[in-house]
Amino acid sequence: MSKTNSSLLSVSNLSANIGGQIVLSDISLDVQHGECVAIVGGSGAGKSCLLRCIMGLYKPAKPTSGQMIFADQMIQLVNDRSVRSADRGFAFVPQNPQAGLDPLKRLTVQWKQAVRCANRGDMSKEEQSELLGSLGLPDFGKCYPHEWSQGMQQRLLIAFALLARPKLLILDEPTSALDPLIAAQTITRVMAHAKEHDIATLIVTHDLALAARFANRLAILSAGKIEEFGSTAKLMEAPSSDYGKLLVSNRYWSHEGQSLEGAEVC
Ligand SMILES: Nc1ncnc2c1ncn2[C@@H]1O[C@H](COP(=O)(O)OP(=O)(O)OP(=O)(O)O)[C@@H](O)[C@H]1O
């Protein structure tokens, strides 16, 4: 494939339906190499459908138009299943940490399985500890998932995702199960790791305050449409859409005044 632009991911004119009802309408957005983009929107805005279409999972929403370029590879979004999600160079972290961990298996067993699945048998013990340590995770010991906090479980799922050495890390509501302080600490660690390893991140969240803190650019999604997409600083300073104005004016209801300095939650 020829190089057509400088973005890592570029989605153009994506529309999608569920049973004849339009759920995504003419979505265009891009993610540059190494940057963090957040898609922010309320319940039912279409965030999950958008992520699933990008990942090539066409249920329940089926694309009716659109194309995507990822790492210089063109993918038609309508009926193109030739490139599977994992092979697209994405790593996806689901919303709920419990969804990705087996409660009956020790963490060390699950980690070894993840290393094998990611074909990372080449990773030394030191490299594995370094990855886990960069996310603030301790040794597994003999722990089962329930013996770790939600924040630690979430970071472990992120470590699983990073094992595959993705170009783009997609986080679906990464903090929905976490309190605001642990949420910010978790994302802080992930962003530091992503920056160090030049991994771009696409975060889907309904939490504008969190998105504004970490994302270089924000896309505001409402009723399946992108209301605005631009630099975080500019959008937070002067949102142009009515919905953007509403979100920005209510952004601090849960996070104002909280300091992350010096706190540790492991
Ligand atoms: N399985 C389904 N069957 C029918 N409609 C669906 C289905 N899944 C989602 N929808 C509809 O598609 C639209 C977008 O849903 P989506 O789950 O993408 O929203 P969301 O922004 O991720 O919401 P939330 O933040 O609540 O997860 C909504 O109108 C929703 O009702």
Side-chain angles (χ1 to χ4, degrees), residues 19-251:
Q21 187 196 340
I22 298 170
V23 291
L24 295 175
S25 184
D26 205 26
I27 302 281
S28 295
L29 60 85
D30 64 287
V31 181
Q32 304 290 315
H33 288 271
E35 93 166 323
C36 173
V37 169
I39 299 170
V40 185
S43 273
K47 303 182 297 296
S48 298
C49 288
L50 174 55
L51 281 192
R52 291 179 67 79
C53 287
I54 290 174
M55 290 189 293
L57 304 171
Y58 297 156
K59 281 184 182 171
K62 197 172 168 203
T64 53
S65 69
Q67 61 181 35
M68 179 172 100
I69 298 169
F70 180 73
D72 302 330
Q73 184 172 28
M74 169 78 82
I75 300 165
Q76 294 299 332
L77 289 167
V78 184
N79 290 330
D80 185 351
R81 292 164 189 249
S82 57
V83 188
R84 302 300 309 161
S85 174
D87 300 331
R88 291 180 178 187
F90 306 151
F92 175 68
V93 181
Q95 196 172 123
N96 178 358
Q98 275 97 36
L101 293 170
D102 183 337
L104 301 177
K105 282 189 185 155
R106 290 187 199 279
L107 293 171
T108 187
V109 173
Q110 300 192 53
W111 175 254
K112 282 177 190 156
Q113 281 174 341
V115 171
R116 271 200 306 277
C117 287
N119 285 325
R120 294 303 308 277
D122 60 311
M123 256 182 129
S124 66
K125 287 254 181 303
E126 290 70 32
E127 286 171 319
Q128 293 178 33
S129 299
E130 197 180 309
L131 170 59
L132 293 165
S134 73
L135 295 172
L137 293 170
D139 286 342
F140 298 119
K142 293 187 174 178
C143 289
Y144 286 90
H146 73 272
E147 294 174 88
W148 274 19
S149 70
Q150 290 263 312
M152 292 163 78
Q153 290 180 39
Q154 187 73 315
R155 276 179 276 155
L156 180 57
L157 281 196
I158 292 168
F160 284 175
L162 291 171
L163 278 172
R165 291 193 276 212
K167 298 184 179 83
L168 178 66
L169 179 65
I170 299 178
L171 304 169
D172 187 8
E173 300 277 8
T175 58
S176 59
L178 310 177
D179 74 50
L181 182 58
I182 295 176
Q185 288 173 329
T186 298
I187 300 298
T188 299
R189 287 189 186 275
V190 174
M191 288 304 147
H193 183 96
K195 192 172 176 191
E196 192 182 338
H197 295 271
D198 197 29
I199 298 168
T201 43
L202 182 60
I203 299 182
V204 158
T205 179
H206 53 77
D207 185 340
L208 181 63
L210 192 93
R213 192 170 200 152
F214 295 101
N216 306 89
R217 289 188 296 156
L218 299 176
I220 305 284
L221 187 69
S222 174
K225 291 188 185 141
I226 294 207
E227 297 283 334
E228 47 190 309
F229 180 38
S231 99
T232 300
K234 205 166 159 192
L235 198 151
M236 296 304 286
E237 179 69 28
S240 57
S241 65
D242 288 344
Y243 188 62
K245 285 175 190 161
L246 198 62
L247 280 183
V248 169
S249 64
N250 287 288
R251 67 193 182 279

